[in-house]
Structures are given as structure tokens and as C-alpha cells.
Amino acid sequence: MKKYIFMALAAVAFSSCTEDVMDRINNRPDNPSDENIAPALQITGGIMETGYYTVSGDASFYSSSYTEQLVGVGYNQFYNAEIRNNSMLASSSTFNNTWNSTYHNVLNLKKAIAKAEEGGKFASQVDVRGMAKTMLALNYGLLTDMFGDVPCTEAGLSKQPKVDSQSNIYKEIFSLLDGAVADFNEAKAGKIAFAGKQDILFAGDVAKWEAFAYALKARYKLHLMKVDGNAAAEALAAAEKAIELGFDGAEITGFTDYASANSNPWAAFWGDRMSHAASKTVADLMTERNDPRLAVYATPWAYNGQVLSTAIATPGKTEDAQIIYGTAQGEGFALPAWLNVVSYEKGEAASIHLLSKAEIHFILAELKARSGADYSSDLKTAIKASFDDYGSFGVELASDADSYYASLSASLANNALKEIMTQKYLSQCRDEHIEAYNDIRRFEALGEKGNYVALTNPKNLQNGMNRFPQRLPYGNSDVIANPNITTLYGDGLYIFTEKVWWAGGNR
């Protein structure tokens, strides 16, 4: 009898053990569930995905053609962008990669914030919570500025999220930034520091993050000048606060520490496609000013040490856009040093500007000039920052920023605002084309179209119809799967006729 009791107990124990094993067998310690991943581990991806796929992705690549800061060449998608091929520019597939990767990052950041909120599993990570809010505000800003009304409040929470109005998304952006500032102040007061090296932007320095949040607030307030009478004053106050807190630019650096596959996205893109050239619009502005940055912006196309072309491409000129960069054939154009093979390694290591030191000082210079205040110190600082950026690509500048600024005295005396905005446009040629595109649309909304930088691409008007995109088309994944987006997308041609809300449109 005892024998049978022992066997029964052994069977029960074995069964229990087997169930425990089966419960654990599909749990991978190297792949924990979302709720167990600390927000501090998510912020790295949140920063890098923002820089690599959203700020410097397709939206920036195409914007560079719209703004004429570069010319698309080579019988590919950028040739089609250059000639304003409406079927391609309005296609839902054109920006699907940017759409998907940005919303993937939005979900990542939302999860990080939720886990770090009060009552969350990682509520103590106050510093990371503020960082995630700041990055989410930036992602929302880029989405709505480029696409208009987009999913926001339900993004990542529903398979068919509702579409929020741009005006409400902007309210959410400012709410996130204000919340981030409160988090950073709490983190400073409590000496809370969880991010550390996971923060690849500021290495866990919450004071720098606070300054960045104010700089973003200045940028987004600036966009609202058409629709909000207080926007200019609020943008100025936010920009001044950012400088007071020591804002010196927000840029992702350290690409020399990564494998070549993870080089600067513009350099990686150029290496794959070779589809951009220096633009006559930019070159003419620089030539008029005897601007030493022209030697960096338009370096000769060379192969095996032999100069093959010093030609500058003309925006919208079909025969220029058709030219493919060759080798022994000699075809091609001059192009920026950060894309050219003569300094390609420096281009691979170039930083990604999320919001540059130059941009915040150009914002200050513009707003002070508009109000009749002294803008000179901010303009000098902005130009110096641009010269430092251009001068990092192995091409020597013929004169320094101070001498160059002195040479602008006559044009500043004649029309200070025009010169300030021209200088901002020239500075942003490196990788800030999205903000240049936003400025062009903002000026038009303010009744100042062409007052500063005149666009020359003849393809912007075809058969009496506008073909300069007022926005980007929604991504194909949601056009197909989300009826809320499908209805808004229609045939996609709305991108040429419907301005975004802050530029005077309805959505």
C-alpha cells in the first residue's frame, strides 16, 4: 500500500514539475514582455528612430527638392519629384516608410510614458518620462506639419484610430512639452537620473533636455503665426528661455562609433541612390553674397581623383534631372561635400540635427527683426553656427563668419528680414529641409510668398494647376486599412490644393 501511495505522490510531483516547465518554456529572458522593459531602455530607440527615419527620412529627402535646396536627378523617384510628377508625389506608397516608422516610434514612446507615469511600474523614472514626452511632441509635430490631420490620441491604441485635427494636435504638442518641463524640474529637484548612456542625445542631462523642450516650443509656436495672434510673442519667449537654459543645439552624433550601415542617413541614402545635386537656386544666392560656404555646398564631382563635373543643376530642368552620376563618362553635377565621395567618410559621420543651434538663433533674429528689436547678436551666432557646421566636411572656407557677417551690412540695412530668412535657408541646406519647407508655407500663409527666397522650378505650375505640394500624402498602410484615412486620402491630389491648418487651410 505504501508503495502505491509513493508512486501516486511521485506522479503528482512529476506532473506539477512538468506544468512548471511548460509555463516557463516559452519565456525568453532575452526578450521580455513590453511591461517589463524599463522606459530608460526605450528612449535610445525613441531618439534614434526620430533622427534616422523621421527627421532625416523620405520627408526630408523630398522636401529638399520642394525647397530647391537640392535637385533630384537620375531617372528615379527624385527625378520624378523634381519634375513634379503628380501621380508619384500624390501616391500613398511614396511616404509609407516614413509614415510606418514614425508611428512605430510613437507607440514606443507612448508605452514608455505610460510605464513611467504615476502608478506605473517605472514611475520613478521621471527624467525618462520627460524625455519621452519631448520626443513624442517632436514626432507629432513632424507628422502633422507634413501630413496635416493625423491619428494622435488613438495612435497605437486602435487598429483604425480616429484622425485628430491639426489644431488639437498642436495643443497636445504644447501639453507634452509643458509636461516634460515639469518632469525635468522634478528630476533635477530629486536628483533623479535613470537615462544615463541610454540617452544618446544629452547623456542624461535633464537641464539640456529642458532647454530643448523650450526650443521645440519656440519652433512650433512660430508655425502658428497665421492662426494665433499671440504666437510670435510666445515663440520669442520660449526661444529666449531655451537660450537662458543653455540650449546649444540638439543633434545626434557619434556615427563613427557605428558600423557603416548605420552611417548618417543622408550619406547612406546618397551611397545607395546618388540622386541629388547642388541647386542653382542656392548657388546663385551664395554667389551674390560671395559666400565661402559655396565651396562646401558645390564641390566638384570627381572620380579616381579626376574632376569630372563642376556643373550646377537647375531646379525643374528636365535634361538636368535626367543626368545620372557616371564614372569615366563624366556625367554628374557638383554636390555638397557631405554627400560627395571626396569627403564621404565625413558625411557618414555627420550629426543629425533634431533642432540646431542655428535654427533657434534664426528664430530669435526673425522675431526681433519683425518687432524692430536688435537682432544682430542672434544673427551673428546663427551664421557662426552654420559656418561651423559647413566647415566640418574637409573643405576650407575662404573667410570666417565674422568677416562674412560684416559683408552683409548693406543687404541688412536694405531689408533685414529678407537677409535673415535667406541666411536661414542657406544654413538649412545640410539636413534641415523640413523646416525650410515649413517656412516657405508659413511665409505664403502670411502673405509673404517669394519675399525672401524665390522658388524657380517651372514645374511647380503645370497646365495652370499648382504642382508644388502643400503637404505629403498619407501612408499606404493606413489608406488601405483605416477608413478614417481612406476617406481623407481620396485620390491623393488634395496635396496640391489643401493647405495644412496653420498655413491657412482646413486640415
Side-chain angles (χ1 to χ4, degrees):
M1 184 67 178
K2 290 182 179 179
K3 175 181 178 182
Y4 292 113
I5 293 173
F6 174 79
M7 291 177 63
L9 290 172
V12 170
F14 179 77
S15 174
S16 176
C17 178
T18 301
E19 289 180 6
D20 289 344
V21 171
M22 294 304 295
D23 287 341
R24 297 194 307 268
I25 197 166
N26 288 322
N27 289 334
R28 287 179 52 188
D30 62 337
N31 186 29
S33 58
D34 279 342
E35 63 268 20
N36 292 320
I37 299 174
L41 299 177
Q42 294 177 259
I43 198 62
T44 309
I47 297 168
M48 182 56 80
E49 286 194 34
T50 300
Y52 207 96
Y53 297 114
T54 304
V55 172
S56 294
D58 289 336
S60 183
F61 299 155
Y62 280 84
S63 292
S64 71
S65 171
Y66 303 163
T67 63
E68 300 181 18
Q69 289 167 307
L70 292 170
V71 172
V73 298
Y75 277 125
N76 56 28
Q77 66 266 50
F78 288 95
Y79 163 78
N80 283 298
E82 195 59 38
I83 64 170
R84 303 296 188 258
N85 180 324
N86 65 341
S87 62
M88 187 202 74
L89 294 182
S91 172
S92 62
S93 63
T94 301
F95 296 95
N96 194 50
N97 288 341
T98 291
W99 178 268
N100 288 339
S101 58
T102 302
Y103 271 111
H104 175 271
N105 196 25
V106 164
L107 179 58
N108 169 54
L109 292 165
K110 277 189 169 185
K111 288 180 177 180
I113 293 168
K115 286 182 287 187
E117 292 284 18
E118 289 186 18
K121 188 169 184 176
F122 298 93
S124 58
Q125 295 192 5
V126 177
D127 60 330
V128 180
R129 186 172 71 206
M131 294 171 194
K133 287 178 182 177
T134 305
M135 296 311 297
L136 184 58
L138 176 52
N139 277 266
Y140 279 152
L142 287 161
L143 280 166
T144 192
D145 287 342
M146 302 309 281
F147 297 97
D149 295 353
V150 295
C152 175
T153 53
E154 293 183 1
L157 306 177
S158 168
K159 290 183 178 180
Q160 296 178 340
K162 72 174 185 178
V163 173
D164 296 88
S165 68
Q166 186 172 77
S167 60
N168 283 335
I169 295 170
Y170 259 75
K171 291 176 184 176
E172 178 66 10
I173 289 169
F174 297 129
S175 176
L176 284 166
L177 292 174
D178 289 344
V181 168
D183 290 338
F184 297 140
N185 285 324
E186 183 180 343
K188 285 189 292 184
K191 298 183 179 179
I192 299 169
F194 282 91
K197 291 183 179 179
Q198 296 298 138
D199 169 16
I200 58 174
L201 194 59
F202 296 123
D205 189 331
V206 292
K208 290 183 177 181
W209 274 97
E210 184 183 4
F212 180 32
Y214 275 106
L216 284 171
K217 189 172 185 178
R219 170 194 282 178
Y220 293 118
K221 285 292 183 181
L222 187 75
H223 293 174
L224 302 185
M225 288 176 63
K226 167 69 176 179
V227 295
D228 182 355
N230 297 318
E234 291 172 353
L236 180 63
E240 289 177 332
K241 184 65 175 179
I243 298 303
E244 176 190 324
L245 292 169
F247 183 73
D248 198 40
E251 51 188 306
I252 303 172
T253 60
F255 282 98
T256 51
D257 297 328
Y258 292 83
S260 59
N262 290 320
S263 62
N264 175 279
W266 268 99
F269 182 76
W270 166 256
D272 287 341
R273 305 293 176 89
M274 300 175 70
S275 56
H276 286 90
S279 167
K280 187 175 186 295
T281 302
V282 174
D284 284 351
L285 291 170
M286 288 185 169
T287 299
E288 289 169 9
R289 291 160 174 76
N290 195 25
D291 193 319
R293 290 172 293 182
L294 180 59
V296 183
Y297 174 75
T299 53
W301 171 243
Y303 183 76
N304 285 341
Q306 179 183 358
V307 172
L308 300 178
S309 177
T310 59
I312 306 292
T314 300
K317 186 177 179 182
T318 306
E319 52 267 43
D320 282 2
Q322 290 173 343
I323 289 179
I324 300 172
Y325 281 87
T327 53
Q329 294 88 351
E331 292 184 321
F333 291 102
L335 70 159
W338 51 87
L339 300 180
N340 205 338
V341 292
V342 299
S343 57
Y344 188 69
E345 289 183 2
K346 290 183 178 293
E348 285 183 310
S351 64
I352 299 174
H353 291 111
L354 300 185
L355 197 158
S356 69
K357 178 179 180 178
E359 181 183 343
I360 198 66
H361 284 283
F362 278 123
I363 289 173
L364 285 165
E366 175 191 346
L367 294 173
K368 288 178 180 179
R370 286 184 182 275
S371 66
D374 182 8
Y375 58 79
S376 58
S377 177
D378 285 299
L379 182 56
K380 286 179 183 177
T381 302
I383 290 174
K384 175 65 165 57
S386 176
F387 267 56
D388 289 345
D389 189 42
Y390 269 72
S392 63
F393 294 98
V395 179
E396 186 175 352
L397 299 178
S399 60
D400 59 32
D402 288 337
S403 300
Y404 177 72
Y405 179 82
S407 73
L408 301 175
S409 58
S411 59
L412 287 168
N414 181 54
N415 189 333
L417 193 54
K418 179 176 182 178
E419 189 59 41
I420 289 167
M421 300 317 303
T422 300
Q423 290 300 323
K424 185 179 182 184
Y425 173 84
L426 297 178
S427 173
Q428 290 176 325
C429 284
R430 217 261 282 165
D431 68 345
E432 298 174 277
H433 311 95
I434 289 175
E435 279 310 301
Y437 178 50
N438 287 335
D439 276 345
I440 287 169
R441 293 182 293 165
R442 176 169 64 92
F443 298 151
E444 183 174 358
L446 294 171
E448 300 170 353
K449 182 179 179 179
N451 284 10
Y452 312 124
V453 175
L455 301 180
T456 63
N457 189 331
K459 305 296 185 183
N460 285 337
L461 186 67
Q462 299 176 26
N463 298 320
M465 293 183 290
N466 174 62
R467 285 297 176 255
F468 177 83
Q470 298 294 335
R471 63 174 78 215
L472 308 184
Y474 295 114
N476 190 55
S477 57
D478 274 84
V479 169
I480 291 174
N482 186 351
N484 299 315
I485 296 292
T486 306
T487 301
L488 289 175
Y489 174 76
D491 61 6
L493 294 178
Y494 69 96
I495 70 165
F496 299 113
T497 58
E498 296 188 27
K499 298 176 181 178
V500 297
W501 165 74
W502 57 251
N506 295 319
R507 64 180 178 97

